[in-house]
Structures are given as structure tokens and as C-alpha cells.
Amino acid sequence: MKHVKYGECVKCGRTYPAVPDLTTCECGGILDIVYDYAYIKTRLTKEILAARQERSMWRYRELLPVEEAAEPSPLRVGWSPLYEEPRLAEQLGLKRLWVKDDGQNPTASLKDRASAMAVAKAREAGAEVIACSSTGNAASSLAGNAAAAGLSTYIFVPSRAPKGKVAQLMTFGATVISVQGSYEETFELSKQAIDRWGWYNRNAAINPYLSEGKKTVSLEIMEQLNWQVPDYIAISVGDGCTIAGLWKGLKDLYAIGFIEKLPRLISAQAEGCCPLNRAVETGEEWRPMEENTLADSIAVGVPRNADKALAAIRESNGLTVSVSDGEIMAAQKLLGRTCGVFGEPAGVTGMAGVKKLCQRGVIGKNDTVVSVVTGNGLKDVANAIEACGEPITIPSDMDRLLAAFAENHISVD
Amino acid sequence: MKHVKYGECVKCGRTYPAVPDLTTCECGGILDIVYDYAYIKTRLTKEILAARQERSMWRYRELLPVEEAAEPSPLRVGWSPLYEEPRLAEQLGLKRLWVKDDGQNPTASLKDRASAMAVAKAREAGAEVIACSSTGNAASSLAGNAAAAGLSTYIFVPSRAPKGKVAQLMTFGATVISVQGSYEETFELSKQAIDRWGWYNRNAAINPYLSEGKKTVSLEIMEQLNWQVPDYIAISVGDGCTIAGLWKGLKDLYAIGFIEKLPRLISAQAEGCCPLNRAVETGEEWRPMEENTLADSIAVGVPRNADKALAAIRESNGLTVSVSDGEIMAAQKLLGRTCGVFGEPAGVTGMAGVKKLCQRGVIGKNDTVVSVVTGNGLKDVANAIEACGEPITIPSDMDRLLAAFAENHISVD
């Protein structure tokens, strides 16, 4: 890969050749993939990009750690829609607001971006089995993307994972181990198993290529905004890999001169599990927390990619905001009703954070904001139904309908 | 609309001006939108299309019954991926096989194509409320597309509708009436309510514009195949509107010279509810059937668009195939494991039909087939989990993992 220099430890700075099965540094630190931006600038211009027909994450191949001739992953991942939402902007008191609906991906979450990369790199490594631990979305996305490529998967999820994600896993033919314990315990068992059997590792905090897949979300946002940088980009944060990837994409674009400034990140976590936000707010080291939130995808008490995530939030002069489960479910309804976008609880936590920051007056009428929805609400319908209530249920009878409308104070005349 | 001539009754041939709130003929027949193909040929060529950046159903504006200047619907509908599936083709003994994953749509089903059209036409009609009855997908797609456009919805679903679809409806802020009865009874109540309150009607068998939205699925298939016509296109059939729309798109392309022949349709229904297939097979009039299948979206005992659907199957010299619920769930697994595509039961019924026709030797090694997956499996996870079984559930302990692998005859060494 002419455009990739090496993997560099974010802790000790040691570098490693960018082999396909690269994992972590000897010191335990996470690696970051370092590019030769001068070379990339000779290969990629805005005009070249604009003329490209490919509408998927592989559109940005020059900025991805794969060989130029590498086959894209079989499923169509990325190029999710970015919707401008003037009505919601007005309601919240923002200058402009966009929603990036990354639930529009093959297995219905942003994690497809990382899993597609994992499949591409596993193929380069000649691996036939990929494994990961996950709160659910990384799991189902890996299972789907690997199945499409003819690879086997071993997947470890905490037993709290919602039914929708488990149904995906089973249908995609993964061998699924549901671990009765926290995400931390799930991760540990997967690590032991991967070490023991030598499977290709799709844990995003271990395999440095996965953040590179995730970063395509910000490459897309910026191209969809015609390279006009918003003031803020908001996203939910669990393990830390996604916000780290988002930031990496922005820095890439800045390095090759496609954007002239960097936005500030908004790190949204659940109040019941916000170790990274707490660390930023107190200026101390992060410490583990309980996993007390219904937003299962970001219920990560021991974030595996704290270093990169904290660096991203701090470097961007970012904001942190932690929201209650009630605020999360209110944001789910708000996005559904106003924008027609149905996000899972963790998926809408970024929007819950934006709303809270608006209410507090931290951001407002001079600000432009992009909020990323990271997963589809269909993955966890139990919580949505609980939040929204049940429909009017009657026999097929007009009198009963009229009575039900009256009872529910619905005025149709 | 210069390119639209009128609406024409498929029963008696009477014509009506193409006003935005067009419904059915006085004789009760369903209308078909008739285009001025000579005019369209002066406006649309393959080259014009190829240069177009728009990647949604509105890409085919010249073939859609909207004003040239009409705003597209707010959500990004259409341009779903078409995957070639060589491994599955080989397994089934087909020459070539493609899967069109229409679960990749904003509310995760093909019905978004019709609902986006409904929203566009309701806006033209100046309506603020849209209503429909639906087995679930038309409902959730209408609720989502209307919410994004700031319109209200009244939605009637049979109480058997799966939780995923109901969760979508409630989150999108629809007023939902869950009818304790069959789809037929649900439809009847919606009809009475629509007549009474004058809501804009999104029932696809009443509003002739909706099939025109649905037809974009075949416009896309053909463009994605670079206008090379497959031997067969397979799709599941319930109410009849979708296969009718699919056929209309193909005939449009033939009429403007974009394709040189027409494929044969494969109409796949559930054995427990196959009134249209039975009519084709016996050559008799269709008669109502019970709704005995877990494929809820096509459990339609009284198909509302029988005339157009039967005409489509017969005109195309099509094949009919009816499959058991077991065959449907087997097809769901097959698509998941081999292609990484997770379809809902009705969504994979087309593929179940293709498999059955291959097994019977009706189609085979000389045939090229496109199978449309009409909805995402996340809409109905209960059935998927039942079909696939539960995962291995253990504490975070390597010895327990080894024991579980041994018990389940999983060999990892």
C-alpha cells in the first residue's frame, strides 16, 4: 500500500509495518494507521471524487488502508443519506441541522463500515474465520458482511443484546456465544478464544483498520455538505472507536486540503454509563462505570478505545453531554415524528445530546450541527413500543372507531 | 404533466384526467396511468440517465406521474443494491442470479417507493392528512415518509402485524388503528373512514399513482443490469400491487426502447394464501382464501389489485409457485447465510419460489434470474429467531465455552 506508511502506537509512538493482521502495540497501546498524505494528494482531488460513480464507502479508496486493486466488500456499505432538517432546526433553535442516517446500511448500523473493512483485511490476510465481541451491532454487521464474502464468524455478545440483533446473527449463520455478563466480560472471553484459535480479530479496539472503515462516515458527511464544515458533529459514544474514526476522517480531509477547518465534536453518552465524558469533564483518567442504560450499543463500562476517543474529543475542543434514558427515548420520538428517521436508542443519543445542549443554551441560533444516527430502531423494538405506547385496538366497526377517537381525544372533523 | 395522458380503467377502458387525487373508475375498476411515450423518448435517453447524479427513485422522473419541477420526497427512497450471487446461483443450479435488496430503504421495505409517491401526490393535492390500510409495510413506510414531509397519517393495520412494524408506526407519530380481524376487514374500515373524513388515500389498489412508485424497482434492476434483460424476475405477491408495478416499469422501458424484450415474472405466494396463483393455475376467476401464513405482508386473502396482478403474470407468460411457511423460513436462512441479506418472511418468498422451481427443474442452468427481497428481516424478528434457534448461552468462562462447543459439535481446532 503506497499510501499507507505504518501503524503507530498512540501511547508510545512505536511503529509497525501495516500487515493485514495488525493488532495492538507491544506496550498494549492501540495503533493508528498513518498515511502518506503527500502521495494521496497526487491521486485524489475533489474533481476526481465528484466524477466517481461508486456510491459506497469504497468511493474513498485512496484514504483507506487497502490495496488499490482490492475488491470492495460484497455488501453495499455506506453513502447513507444526509438529510437537512429545517423544521427540527427551528424547533431546537439551531441555525442549520442535518441528520446522517447511518441506520441505512446493509445490516442497519454504522458498524457495517468497520465490518466491511474487516472482511477486506481478513481476505488479504488469507483468513477464513473472523471473530469479535460486540454489544450487538458490530456482531450483526460482521456476521452479514462475512456471510456475503463466504467467511465464517464466531461472535460473542452480552446476553442483554436485543432480539433484533440476535435474529440477524443467527440468520447470517454466525456461531453466536451469548455471554451472561457485562460487555467487559464478553470482551474478555472473546479475547481468550481469539488468542487460542487464531481467528481474524474484528474487535475495533484491537484491529487498527476498523476505525479506518468507520471514518468513512465523516468523509461522506463532508462531501455531502460540499466540503462546508459545520460547527459541530454529534455522535453517541460507547467503546470510543466510532468517535475516534469520525475524527480520523476529518483530520484526513484537513490534511489533504479538502476542508479548511475542523468541526468540534459532541460526545453524547448515557448518564448511566459515561466514563469517557466524565474523564473529559473532570480532567482525570477515565474510570470504569456500571452499564446502566437501555441504549445497549453504548452501554460500555470499560471503553476499549478510550485513548483515541479522549484524544478526539479534546483535540476537537469538543463538547460532552450525558443524557438520561428518558431523554434518549424522547429523542427517538422527536426524530421519528419530525424527520421520519427511526433510530435505535444508542443511535439517537447524539440527537438527545444536541437537544440538551440547545436547551442549556450551550449551542444555539448561530450554530450548524450534524447529528449522526448510528443504528436503526428496528434493532430494538421492545424499547420503542414501551416509549410510544400501544396503538388503538378495535374490531372492524365504525362506531367503535368513533368511540376510540373520542376516548383518545383525537379530533378528525 | 406533459408526459402523462390520463388514467385508464383496466376493466372498462374509460379514461380520467390525471388529477392528484385520482382514485378508481366509476365501474369500480382500477385505473392505470397512461404515458405519452413518444414525448418521453424526446426527453430521456440512456445517456442522459447515465450522467445523472441522483441515486433514488426520482432518478426516473420522466417516467413518473409528477410534474417535472416537483420536489422529490424528503427521505431517500430507492436505488437499493442489486447483488450478483454466484455462490447461490451455483448451489441452486442457475446460470446467473441476482438479489435486489429492497429492505435497504428508509423504512426498510419496497413500500417506501409507493409511499414516497403518495407523499408527492398528496402535496400536489394540497392534502395534510394521508391514510391507508396495510398489512404493515405500506403503513410504516407511509408514516415515515409523511412524517418527514410534515404530513399527518391515519393508519389501519390488522392486529397480527409484527411488533417491528408497529414500533415504526408509533415512533413516526401516526395515529394507528389496530383492527382485530383479517386484512380484508382492516381494509373495509379504512375505506369507510377515508370516505367519511376525505383523507388522501394511500391504498395502493385505489390510488393509481402508487404502482407507478413501485415500478421504480424494475427501472433500477434494468439499469443496474445495464439493460440486459434476465430470463425471470421473481417477487412475492399479496395484494397484487407490487408485481403489477414491477411489470409496469418493464413495459415502460420496452415502450421507450431501453430494453428489447421482456422478462417472465415469477409470482411467489404462500401456500396458505395464494388466491392469485390459484387463479392463474386453474384459469378460473380468483376466489378469496384464508390468510394462513406467517409471511404477514402477503397474507392477503382478498387481493385488492387482482386485475392488474393477473394481467402482469399472464402477459409476461409468467410462472406461479406457492411455498410453505417452512420453505419461506428456509429461504430466509439461505439468503442470510449465503448472501448476507436478511429479509422478512414475505420478503424472501420470491427466493423460496426460485429455489422450489429449481428443485422441480422448471428453471435451471440456462436461466438468469433476479429475485427481489421486498422487506427487511428486522421487521419480524420473532419468526426469524424461531426458525434459527437460540444462541449458545454461557457465563464468561473458557471451560464453559469448550464444553458448549463440544456439546454443539462445533469443531474449531
Side-chain angles (χ1 to χ4, degrees), chain A residues 191-210:
Chain A
K191 192 172 174 303
Q192 289 173 42
I194 290 168
D195 288 348
R196 180 176 188 126
W197 288 295
W199 299 323
Y200 191 82
N201 192 330
R202 186 251 178 264
N203 282 327
I206 302 275
N207 182 329
Y209 296 116
L210 303 190

Side-chain angles (χ1 to χ4, degrees), chain B residues 180-199:
Chain B
Q180 295 159 317
S182 66
Y183 176 60
E184 166 70 0
E185 291 167 291
T186 308
F187 186 90
E188 278 308 320
L189 185 61
S190 80
K191 191 171 176 303
Q192 289 173 43
I194 290 168
D195 288 348
R196 181 176 187 126
W197 287 296
W199 299 324

Side-chain angles (χ1 to χ4, degrees), chain A residues 211-223:
Chain A
S211 279
E212 303 299 313
K214 289 183 174 188
K215 80 181 177 190
T216 55
V217 70
S218 50
L219 304 181
E220 287 174 19
I221 289 170
M222 290 317 313
E223 188 179 3

Side-chain angles (χ1 to χ4, degrees), chain B residues 16 20 24 29 56 113 161 359 361 372:
Chain B
Y16 295 83
T24 48
S56 79
R113 300 177 184 274
Q359 285 166 340
V372 183

Side-chain angles (χ1 to χ4, degrees), chain A residues 20-21 57-58 65-66 70-77 106-107 111-132 138-153 155 200-203 207 209-210 213, chain B residues 87 339-340:
Chain A
D21 56 352
M57 62 181 268
W58 300 105
V66 291
E71 246 184 282
S73 54
L75 298 180
R76 183 190 72 179
V77 175
T107 76
K111 300 294 173 76
D112 280 329
R113 299 177 186 272
S115 293
M117 181 59 71
V119 165
K121 298 306 287 184
R123 278 172 161 175
E124 280 184 26
E128 282 168 15
V129 179
I130 315 183
C132 78
S140 52
S141 75
L142 175 61
N145 282 276
L151 301 171
S152 303
T153 48
I155 309 259
Y200 191 82
N201 192 330
R202 186 251 178 264
N203 282 327
N207 182 329
Y209 296 116
L210 303 190
Chain B
R87 283 183 294 129
C339 311

Side-chain angles (χ1 to χ4, degrees), chain A residues 69 79 172 266 336:
Chain A
W79 202 256
F172 292 141
I266 294 173

Side-chain angles (χ1 to χ4, degrees), chain B residues 234-238 243 266-270 277 298 319-323 349-354:
Chain B
I235 197 157
S236 55
V237 175
I243 196 167
I266 294 174
S267 163
Q269 292 205 289
N277 279 0
I298 54 166
L319 301 176
T320 59
V321 57
S322 300
V323 289
T349 299
M351 181 53 77
V354 169

